[in-house]
């Protein structure tokens, strides 16, 4: 991975467990660095979406990546605040 450019991963509107597992495997295979996860398509903002973000955050952390979530809508931000994960899963 070019260290000057972050690795960009994109979550679809309703990511399946298989899609999240594939993205986690992609993170595990990449050398440590910055990662931007595009989450703007996530709809609806529900606990499955929060679970997907948490899994990606854990996978990134295990490999030494610094992950940022980009494009979160107000519903997802509110749900992260409600669950207490707004600080952990910064958007």
């Amino acid at each position: 991975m070019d260290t000057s450019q972050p690795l960009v991963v994109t979550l679809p509107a309703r990511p399946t467990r298989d899609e999240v597992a594939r993205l986690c495997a992609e993170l595990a295979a990449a050398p440590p660095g910055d990662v931007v996860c595009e989450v703007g398509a996530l709809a609806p903002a529900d606990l499955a979406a929060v679970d997907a973000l948490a899994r990606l955050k854990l996978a990134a952390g295990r490999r030494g990546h610094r992950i940022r979530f980009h494009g979160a809508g107000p519903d997802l931000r509110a749900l992260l605040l409600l669950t207490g994960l707004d600080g952990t899963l910064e958007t």
Side-chain angles (χ1 to χ4, degrees):
M1 178 168 72
D2 180 359
T3 57
S4 63
Q5 295 293 320
L7 172 66
V8 178
V9 296
T10 303
L11 279 174
R14 300 203 47 95
T16 65
R17 283 196 174 270
D18 288 342
E19 288 168 324
V20 174
R22 179 187 57 77
L23 291 172
C24 288
E26 187 177 325
L27 292 175
D34 292 327
V35 177
V36 174
C37 182
E38 296 288 342
V39 299
L42 281 174
D46 58 13
L47 291 179
V50 172
D51 179 65
L53 297 182
R55 289 178 184 278
L56 287 168
K57 173 77 174 183
L58 287 171
R62 286 185 186 123
R63 184 65 175 126
H65 297 292
R66 292 167 304 279
I67 191 167
R68 291 182 293 128
F69 297 101
H70 181 265
D75 291 344
L76 181 56
R77 288 177 186 268
L79 187 56
L80 291 172
L81 182 63
L82 180 68
T83 59
L85 294 172
D86 56 312
T88 302
L89 302 175
E90 296 177 31
T91 55

